[in-house]
Amino acid sequence: MSDSIPMPRVRVATTSLAGCFGCHMSFLDMDERLLDLAKVVEFDRSPLTDIKHCGPCDIGLIEGGVCNAENVHVLREFRRNCKTLVAVGACAINGGLPAQRNHLDLGDCLQQVYVKRDGVEDGGVPDDPELPLLLDRVHPIHEVVRVDYFIPGCPPSGDAIWTFLTDLIGGRTPRLPHPLLHFD
Amino acid sequence: MHDAERVAAQAVERHRREPSQLLQVLVETQDAIGYLPAAALTRIAGLLELPRSRVEGVAGFYSFLHTEPVGRFRILFSDNIIDRMLGSRALMERLCRRLGVSPGQVSPGGEASVDITSCTGMGDQGPAILVNGVAVTRLDEARVERIAALVHAGTPLAAWPAEFFRVDDNIRRRGALLGADFVPGSALQAAMKRGRNGWLEEMRVSGLRGRGGAGFTTAVKWGACRDAPGADKVVVCNADEGEPGTFKDRVLLASQADRVIEGMTLAAWATGARQGLLYLRGEYRYLLKHLRAVLAVRRAAGLLGARILGESGFDFDIDIHLGAGAYVCGEETALLESLEGKRGTPRIRPPFPVTHGYLGRPTVVNNVETLAKTTLIALQGGAAFAATGTPQSTGTKLLSISGDCAYSGVYEYPFGVTIEHVLEDCGAHDPQVVQVGGASGVTIASHEFHRRIAFEDVPTAGAFMVFDGRRDPFEMARNFVHFFAHESCGFCTPCRVGTALLKGYMDKLASGKGAKMDLADIEWLDRLLKNASHCGLGSSAPNPVIDTLLKFRPAYERRLVSLDFKPAFDLDAALETARRMTGRDDPAAHLDRREEV
Ligand SMILES: Cc1cc2nc3c(=O)[nH]c(=O)nc-3n(C[C@H](O)[C@H](O)[C@H](O)COP(=O)(O)O)c2cc1C
Ligand code: SF4
Ligand code: FES
């Protein structure tokens, strides 16, 4: 029997903003190591738990960039609650694929999709207050809140996420070895 | 054949179809046509048997070369902080209004374009501009009005008032170099009397160190080149003088050209070189005629060419190459690339130019002032030269002084002079900051004015910019960061991306959106640039930020709006288009600006 105080489990929250869920799929790609992870981690708000709002956490993992007002609210909630916030994947770090619209005018985009598109009659830009408004440009998350770490890749591999998290939880400054560090 | 192609072909022929002359061919083609049309590039590539991409790559590298039509009058405002302090930005706006053009654009009729350029080396008589590559000094509102009228009238540059193009030497303090008369050939005669080895020994005794920035011992460089295998050695004079705030080489080239060229010949005597190249920055092309004339006179006097001063086996002659607006080409290996007609990308060292330089041949690269100083050593001997200055920094140093002082200009001091002494001489009334050595140099705060100009204390390539209590050290640093971001050659990622990011942070702070977090990021970027850049441009780019953050931190801190983080853009304004498109204005259609974390 050990008389040392058991370390409390690390609380982790995850979310997908303007991303494709590819990074979350990569997270699941850790396969059976998820079971090891589950021994030291408990999940707060995350698509894995379906908890709707984030409470105080140790680590927040963010997939995807910031494309609308709701993304801003979610991101701020994570920043307020997570001691360490991590940008996971190309979209969170650079805006990624969604940011391809940045060289187009948002007004033209909405017109084209909801009003002028072939086959659309009586179209109109949806104005339901339930829907979050789009920002004029898609931003990487570090342009909206302070971010502590970045895991590059589109998506980063399950190995990369595993290595990063075990470093972070183990108290080592995360450092991805060369084969795991890639930007595509 | 099109006109452009014919002009290009003529330029190629003038340069004997030498691929290494590509940059000169492009400069001359553009002079004739106004820009470099695609057809001209294709023709040049064909005649020089170079890939089209190589020619385009060079044309795209240099700021003064254009592959798109520019205005018939292309006006560039020198954008150094000193020009700005003299009101350049307001004058530029005025000229733009008069010409109906916005900065960076060509006027609708194609008559003019107005833009900014890096320091043109006229800090003692600014604000300065370049019109179609030619320097115009002392701009004021009246001069701007007259220029606008001349442009509207389409008056060719040659018919503009000569007064506009007057460039003064403004020599304010003369020492061993600027104070003595010089008889062309006298230094050469003295050195030849000593023999090649005796001359190099005299250079060694002098302890002369390079005046271009790095301070390498000149005799060691010359000796290494002499001893390098290969008979076809080269002497290069670095007259690129791109460091913002520096203009002493311009004054030497204008008033002491004989000494500079004799210095190159003295280097040839020591090393056995037969070919000399003078790389003149594009901004100083108005000096070209004068320099060519000096070369011609010296050839006629037997001081250049075959059998110099009758000495058999002493053959040496000099060509002048024009740069085209790239600060990095002052770095000696980038300069060699540029001389070879390539993009000015710094080489990997070693090998060093003394063994593998111009076209792979052993090459000495020296600064204008270094070369001029060698004439003193030839005439008075190395020991006499070493008697002034300090033991580690022998001789005198030319300073280019500008900014908040009564007497801008060139001052010659023995090394070891204190900064406060210099400030007193130049009539600086309320000096608070001195930037010594240009944008890549050292920021000196008033509590350090007792420090000395010397390699072992405050080293400098010659710039000495004075700022009084009205000035903001943060804005000075930001100006320099913009300079480096513009001048990064783009070859290595730490510098290409790092300078752009640093510029973004400085602009964010300037726009009042800075947060404490940004200072931490800036310091991280400073370290990255310093440690990971390929050449001296990238590694010295953070210097002004490092120094001002250390010595003038409140100038940064008072711009911060948050102790943690603040976006560089307005989140609520970013929803405006979507609000308009949906006609919404409910609370969820807004983002609270205060709720930033
Ligand atoms: C980015 C950069 C720009 C430079 N610009 C110049 C210049 O304009 N003139 C100059 O003489 N040296 C310049 N240098 C220094 C040269 O690389 C080289 O050290 C010098 O020309 C050697 O001559 P010296 O020994 O006579 O000083 C520059 C260096 C760097 C890294
Ligand atoms: S440090 Fe900058 S200027 Fe030097 S090689 Fe790299 S990109 Fe080019
Ligand atoms: S959402 Fe993961 S890479 Fe884009």
Side-chain angles (χ1 to χ4, degrees):
Chain A
M1 199 184 111
S2 153
D3 53 14
S4 69
I5 307 162
M7 282 280 282
R9 286 204 286 175
V10 177
R11 239 183 132 70
V12 176
T14 78
T15 189
S16 174
L17 306 177
C20 66
F21 271 92
C23 295
H24 274 84
M25 296 310 286
S26 254
F27 187 86
L28 297 178
D29 257 352
M30 284 193 269
D31 298 329
E32 71 278 6
R33 284 171 297 185
L34 278 171
L35 300 176
D36 295 329
L37 198 64
K39 289 183 196 142
V40 286
V41 157
E42 63 193 351
F43 285 96
D44 195 288
R45 173 177 176 163
S46 166
L48 309 174
T49 58
D50 218 23
I51 297 174
K52 299 296 184 210
H53 285 284
C54 192
C57 279
D58 298 293
I59 301 172
L61 303 176
I62 311 283
E63 162 193 314
V66 183
C67 79
N68 63 30
E70 194 214 2
N71 292 161
V72 175
H73 292 306
V74 175
L75 185 57
R76 284 175 170 172
E77 177 180 307
F78 268 67
R79 181 67 274 183
R80 268 196 307 274
N81 285 291
C82 302
K83 288 188 208 152
T84 302
L85 198 66
V86 185
V88 184
C91 303
I93 295 175
N94 293 316
L97 212 58
Q100 297 231 337
R101 77 158 155 96
N102 282 358
H103 65 279
L104 303 172
D105 176 69
L106 175 62
D108 293 346
C109 271
L110 291 172
Q111 278 279 329
Q112 200 61 42
V113 172
Y114 291 108
V115 183
K116 292 196 202 141
R117 192 165 43 137
D118 283 348
V120 172
E121 283 158 35
D122 285 343
V125 179
D127 57 1
D128 190 320
E130 286 281 297
L131 295 172
L133 287 187
L134 293 175
L135 298 169
D136 54 357
R137 295 166 58 84
V138 178
H139 291 268
I141 65 169
H142 70 263
E143 289 184 4
V144 178
V145 298
R146 176 170 59 80
V147 175
D148 302 298
Y149 294 97
F150 301 83
I151 312 179
C154 188
S157 65
D159 282 349
I161 298 176
W162 165 258
T163 307
F164 181 92
L165 281 180
T166 46
D167 273 351
L168 196 61
I169 293 166
R172 301 178 292 275
T173 303
R175 199 182 152 277
L176 289 180
H178 228 260
L180 293 183
L181 186 70
H182 60 91
F183 294 84
D184 55 357
Chain B
M1 213 190 296
H2 280 104
D3 221 33
E5 293 183 46
R6 206 190 56 243
V7 169
Q10 285 165 351
V12 171
E13 295 308 332
R14 266 198 305 281
H15 290 278
R16 300 175 303 278
R17 295 198 184 212
E18 272 296 332
S20 66
Q21 297 292 310
L22 174 59
L23 177 56
Q24 306 309 306
V25 168
L26 291 174
V27 167
E28 287 174 25
T29 305
Q30 175 167 295
D31 282 349
I33 306 176
Y35 77 109
L36 295 167
L41 297 183
T42 306
R43 183 90 181 126
I44 291 169
L47 289 171
L48 293 178
E49 296 180 28
L50 291 171
R52 175 72 165 60
S53 57
R54 162 85 195 281
V55 175
E56 184 133 357
V58 172
F61 183 84
Y62 296 91
S63 308
F64 293 168
L65 297 180
H66 313 290
T67 51
E68 298 286 330
V70 286
R72 279 190 292 284
F73 291 95
R74 177 159 173 75
I75 299 171
L76 296 174
F77 278 76
S78 176
D79 200 35
N80 190 23
I81 185 76
I82 301 294
D83 294 277
R84 286 218 195 171
M85 280 154 47
L86 293 166
S88 64
R89 279 307 172 103
L91 293 170
M92 175 160 126
E93 276 164 32
R94 174 181 278 258
L95 184 63
C96 283
R97 273 199 310 277
R98 288 290 177 272
L99 298 176
V101 58
S102 32
Q105 308 280 301
V106 183
S107 60
E111 101 185 322
S113 60
V114 178
D115 211 337
I116 54 169
T117 188
S118 299
C119 180
T120 59
M122 300 288 168
D124 57 335
Q125 47 205 303
I129 57 173
L130 296 172
V131 184
N132 293 351
V134 187
V136 172
T137 54
R138 283 174 291 265
L139 229 59
D140 55 17
E141 290 183 359
R143 197 160 275 195
V144 163
E145 296 298 331
R146 290 180 68 193
I147 289 173
L150 289 163
V151 168
H152 275 314
T155 311
L157 215 52
W160 287 26
E163 169 65 15
F164 286 14
F165 306 105
R166 199 184 88 216
V167 178
D168 291 334
D169 285 345
N170 290 332
I171 297 175
R172 307 281 187 190
R173 189 179 195 281
R174 292 174 191 274
L177 184 71
L178 299 176
D181 288 334
F182 180 65
V183 180
S186 56
L188 210 45
Q189 254 157 0
M192 286 164 70
K193 213 176 288 167
R194 292 191 171 96
R196 292 184 194 258
N197 292 339
W199 164 227
L200 191 56
E201 175 58 18
E202 212 58 53
M203 281 290 294
R204 201 189 57 72
V205 171
S206 76
L208 175 68
R209 293 171 69 175
R211 299 320 198 222
F216 195 77
T217 304
T218 309
V220 173
K221 194 183 271 188
W222 288 12
C225 178
R226 180 194 64 184
D227 298 339
D232 44 1
K233 288 162 186 158
V234 185
V235 173
V236 173
C237 172
N238 186 345
D240 197 48
E241 193 161 62
E243 191 62 55
T246 318
F247 45 81
K248 46 101 187 164
D249 290 345
R250 160 181 46 87
V251 172
L252 286 177
L253 293 167
S255 66
Q256 309 271 337
D258 259 303
R259 280 202 194 256
V260 177
I261 291 165
E262 192 139 331
M264 291 179 73
T265 319
L266 287 167
W269 177 242
T271 56
R274 298 158 60 91
Q275 185 178 0
L277 297 163
L278 188 147
Y279 188 93
L280 183 66
R281 74 185 303 219
E283 289 82 346
Y284 293 171
R285 67 178 304 165
Y286 72 95
L287 288 170
L288 203 52
K289 218 167 109 188
H290 161 65
L291 291 172
R292 288 205 175 119
V294 173
L295 289 178
V297 170
R298 291 181 66 92
R299 270 183 210 114
L303 299 173
L304 280 178
R307 290 175 53 83
I308 290 176
L309 290 174
E311 175 87 12
S312 69
F314 187 14
D315 310 332
F316 180 70
D317 211 331
I318 297 171
D319 273 325
I320 302 175
H321 278 240
L322 260 190
Y327 164 67
V328 73
C329 288
E331 195 281 335
E332 57 183 8
T333 62
L335 183 135
L336 293 169
E337 290 286 301
S338 184
L339 282 172
E340 292 180 10
K342 302 184 194 146
R343 293 165 68 90
T345 303
R347 296 177 181 171
I348 292 169
R349 299 180 302 177
F352 291 95
V354 283
T355 57
H356 295 77
Y358 179 66
L359 298 174
R361 295 149 54 181
T363 304
V364 160
V365 182
N366 272 133
N367 171 256
V368 169
E369 182 185 346
T370 313
L371 290 164
K373 291 272 159 72
T374 63
T375 59
L376 294 175
I377 298 163
L379 287 169
Q380 304 155 10
F385 182 88
T388 43
T390 74
Q392 282 162 276
S393 312
T394 56
T396 61
K397 181 76 193 93
L398 301 191
L399 298 180
S400 321
I401 301 184
S402 62
D404 295 320
C405 60
Y407 315 105
S408 297
V410 173
Y411 292 66
E412 181 176 10
Y413 285 103
F415 267 120
V417 65
T418 62
I419 288 167
E420 54 205 356
H421 184 133
V422 176
L423 285 170
E424 194 154 316
D425 285 357
C426 71
H429 291 306
D430 172 31
Q432 296 298 322
V433 187
V434 182
Q435 182 72 17
V436 182
S440 65
V442 192
T443 310
I444 301 283
S446 52
H447 66 85
E448 305 170 276
F449 286 172
H450 61 279
R451 292 179 64 183
R452 295 173 186 281
I453 301 290
F455 293 109
E456 62 273 26
D457 190 354
V458 183
T460 174
F464 191 102
M465 293 182 265
V466 185
F467 302 85
D468 68 18
R470 294 167 297 165
R471 313 297 178 186
D472 183 343
F474 170 83
E475 279 304 332
M476 176 198 78
R478 189 162 79 97
N479 177 268
F480 294 154
V481 167
H482 275 247
F483 165 77
F484 286 117
H486 175 71
E487 294 295 344
S488 167
C489 82
F491 172 72
C492 71
T493 312
C495 169
R496 182 183 65 248
V497 178
T499 53
L501 288 176
L502 197 54
K503 173 176 149 179
Y505 280 114
M506 296 297 276
D507 289 351
K508 185 180 178 195
L509 259 63
S511 69
K513 297 205 175 71
K516 201 115 197 171
M517 177 71 188
D518 297 318
L519 296 189
D521 283 346
I522 286 174
E523 283 167 338
W524 175 78
L525 270 173
D526 287 346
R527 281 197 299 281
L528 177 98
L529 276 160
K530 200 133 238 55
N531 299 326
S533 296
H534 172 58
C535 87
L537 189 154
S539 60
S540 53
N543 286 355
V545 178
I546 293 173
D547 281 358
T548 48
L549 254 179
L550 186 71
K551 298 172 189 178
F552 300 95
R553 201 173 177 91
Y556 288 74
E557 284 171 340
R558 66 159 193 263
R559 294 187 148 80
L560 307 182
V561 288
S562 150
L563 289 182
D564 190 5
F565 185 86
K566 167 97 182 138
F569 64 101
D570 183 335
L571 275 161
D572 188 56
L575 292 177
E576 182 52 36
T577 310
R579 269 196 298 269
R580 183 164 38 79
M581 298 296 293
T582 55
R584 279 177 52 188
D585 199 22
D586 54 287
H590 288 275
L591 282 166
D592 186 352
R593 293 191 182 106
R594 279 159 309 167
E595 195 212 323
E596 266 133 19
V597 265

